[in-house]
Amino acid sequence: MQCLNHKFEEAYRPGKSNSGDVILPESISIQHALWNFDKGGYLQELLHQLKYHRLTGVGEDIGRQLGKSLLQNPAFIKSIERKKVRLVPVPLHPRKRRMRGYNQAFYIAKGVAEVTNLKILPKDAVVRNRNTKTQTGFSLEKRRKNIQGAFTVSDPEVVKETVCVIIDDVFTTGATTFELSRVLKKAGSLDLLIATVAQA
């Protein structure tokens, strides 16, 4: 996987807490992406294979690369220092998870956990209770409406007073991760960070 770093453009910009130009909600202190998304390119194909063809090992490999990148971000280190931190893979609706057989965000999180020694939030502590339509092709407003109310924290105690690092494959408009962060904040999370493989 190390060779992939030579194929893709790094999204993280030293000295910045945000890999893109999206304005973050107040509850989110960092939005960190590993690579810039290459529409129609090799990275898009790799992420498609990961998402739909059960390449779980690739997910973990990419997650390790993301973990290494996070550890190069001083703002990330400062945010998690001496705090209880949990990695939160963006959950899939149970029906979608049954169809795919796995959640790609979980395997990315496994790779991040291996490199950073951070723990993944227990399975089903946060659930996706609505089987939303794919966000592809939606405007920002449609994305927000589509994802609104899609997540529930079923076990608030494991979220309370933690720093939650939301893990996903691609950050586009932020609609999904922002909605998940809103729910986690309401459940008592101290701080929210977003870490993704790609920045669209």
Side-chain angles (χ1 to χ4, degrees):
M1 284 301 293
Q2 195 65 37
C3 64
L4 291 179
N5 285 328
H6 302 295
K7 286 182 177 288
F8 308 133
E9 181 186 0
E10 289 187 10
Y12 166 62
R13 298 171 292 182
K16 302 281 186 180
S17 58
N18 188 352
S19 292
D21 299 319
V22 176
I23 297 171
L24 301 176
E26 283 186 16
S27 59
I28 299 170
S29 59
I30 292 172
Q31 180 259 312
H32 181 106
L34 175 58
W35 296 310
N36 284 316
F37 190 70
D38 60 343
K39 190 168 176 62
Y42 182 66
L43 180 56
Q44 183 178 21
E45 176 60 25
L46 183 68
L47 292 174
H48 181 87
Q49 293 291 324
L50 166 62
K51 201 167 186 175
Y52 298 109
H53 296 280
R54 303 192 183 198
L55 298 183
T56 55
V58 171
E60 291 184 50
D61 284 342
I62 291 173
R64 284 189 278 271
Q65 294 296 320
L66 177 56
K68 289 173 187 175
S69 179
L70 283 166
L71 293 178
Q72 297 299 311
N73 185 340
F76 174 78
I77 299 298
K78 187 176 179 181
S79 293
I80 67 169
E81 210 168 33
R82 293 189 296 276
K83 297 181 183 82
K84 183 181 174 185
V85 183
R86 292 292 179 266
L87 303 176
V88 185
V90 172
L92 287 178
H93 187 270
R95 188 182 303 166
K96 196 167 282 184
R97 192 165 60 189
R98 281 195 300 271
M99 284 174 62
R100 288 189 194 167
Y102 70 109
N103 178 2
Q104 80 278 2
F106 173 76
Y107 287 94
I108 295 168
K110 277 186 74 176
V112 173
E114 185 179 318
V115 170
T116 61
N117 292 318
L118 298 174
K119 293 182 179 179
I120 300 173
L121 202 70
K123 189 180 176 183
D124 296 330
V126 181
V127 296
R128 196 167 191 145
N129 48 48
R130 283 202 304 109
N131 193 13
T132 54
K133 296 176 183 177
T134 180
Q135 302 271 64
T136 307
F138 279 12
S139 67
L140 176 57
E141 190 55 36
K142 278 191 175 180
R143 284 172 182 259
R144 284 175 179 161
K145 286 182 178 177
N146 183 48
I147 204 71
Q148 196 170 21
F151 303 107
T152 300
V153 177
S154 54
D155 188 357
E157 281 304 309
V158 299
V159 170
K160 192 176 179 182
E161 297 184 356
T162 63
V163 173
C164 289
V165 184
I166 298 171
I167 305 288
D168 206 2
D169 51 1
V170 182
F171 183 94
T172 307
T173 63
T176 299
T177 47
F178 291 174
E179 175 63 15
L180 179 53
S181 70
R182 185 187 68 79
V183 172
L184 290 166
K185 186 72 175 178
K186 193 175 177 182
S189 177
L190 293 174
D191 194 10
L192 283 306
L193 319 178
I194 296 170
T196 59
V197 174
Q199 168 84 42

